[in-house]
Amino acid sequence: MSGLILKLGPHERVLVNGAVIENGDKRSRLAIKTPNANILRLKDAIHPEEANTPVRRVCYIAQLVLSGDMCPQEAKLQVIRRIEELSRVLTDRDSRRHLDLATKATGEGEYYRCLKALRALLPREERLLATRLQ
């Protein structure tokens, strides 16, 4: 994860390689220089009971790698399989682009990039599910 810049708000928390770090009273900017560091903004974290839709479930798996609760090799097959399932439903060009980015990131072991690409699909999924329920 070399070259990642984190911009943190006051008292924002972030998980870095399993350690929770809390920012101070002022905004700050951190440059992550270590390759393959696992980073997760806690404000973006999905709680287990919130992993209740297809996109949220695959996000949760990627998040487990970043939190150190799942090994990348174990997660890789699950993430790729679930992205493939999503690609059968989310067929528009923009969704495909995000799914392709997530697939590429997973293949490269970049689970932060994977999670970022998948999180972009959450509003679309929410709209689709809301339409289906009406």
Side-chain angles (χ1 to χ4, degrees):
M1 169 122 0
S2 180
L4 175 69
I5 303 293
L6 289 177
K7 296 176 184 174
L8 302 175
H11 304 287
E12 185 175 349
R13 292 179 181 182
V14 64
L15 187 72
V16 179
N17 288 341
V20 175
I21 299 171
E22 183 175 320
N23 191 26
D25 294 333
K26 298 179 182 177
R27 295 185 62 77
S28 65
R29 179 181 159 154
L30 299 173
I32 307 299
K33 299 293 186 182
T34 304
N36 302 317
N38 290 321
I39 311 291
L40 178 63
R41 287 179 182 269
L42 293 183
K43 72 178 186 178
D44 294 337
I46 296 172
H47 297 277
E49 64 275 0
E50 295 171 342
N52 55 4
T53 67
V55 175
R56 284 180 170 276
R57 281 190 280 275
V58 70
C59 284
Y60 186 71
I61 295 169
Q63 178 182 300
L64 288 174
V65 174
L66 295 174
S67 68
D69 293 317
M70 182 180 265
C71 74
Q73 296 78 14
E74 183 183 340
K76 185 176 184 176
L77 183 58
Q78 289 184 45
V79 170
I80 296 296
R81 188 175 296 143
R82 289 183 186 240
I83 289 173
E84 179 62 33
E85 291 169 0
L86 289 171
S87 72
R88 293 185 198 125
V89 177
L90 301 172
T91 58
D92 62 280
R93 184 178 302 166
D94 191 49
S95 294
R96 288 288 181 154
R97 185 174 60 81
H98 289 295
L99 292 170
D100 288 345
L101 288 170
T103 300
K104 185 174 189 261
T106 301
E108 295 170 358
E110 294 282 341
Y111 286 91
Y112 184 87
R113 280 190 10 232
C114 172
L115 183 59
K116 183 177 177 182
L118 291 170
R119 286 186 64 81
L121 297 171
L122 289 173
R124 179 168 295 127
E125 179 187 50
E126 189 175 315
R127 287 191 305 273
L128 289 171
L129 290 174
T131 302
R132 196 181 99 198
L133 294 174
Q134 292 178 352

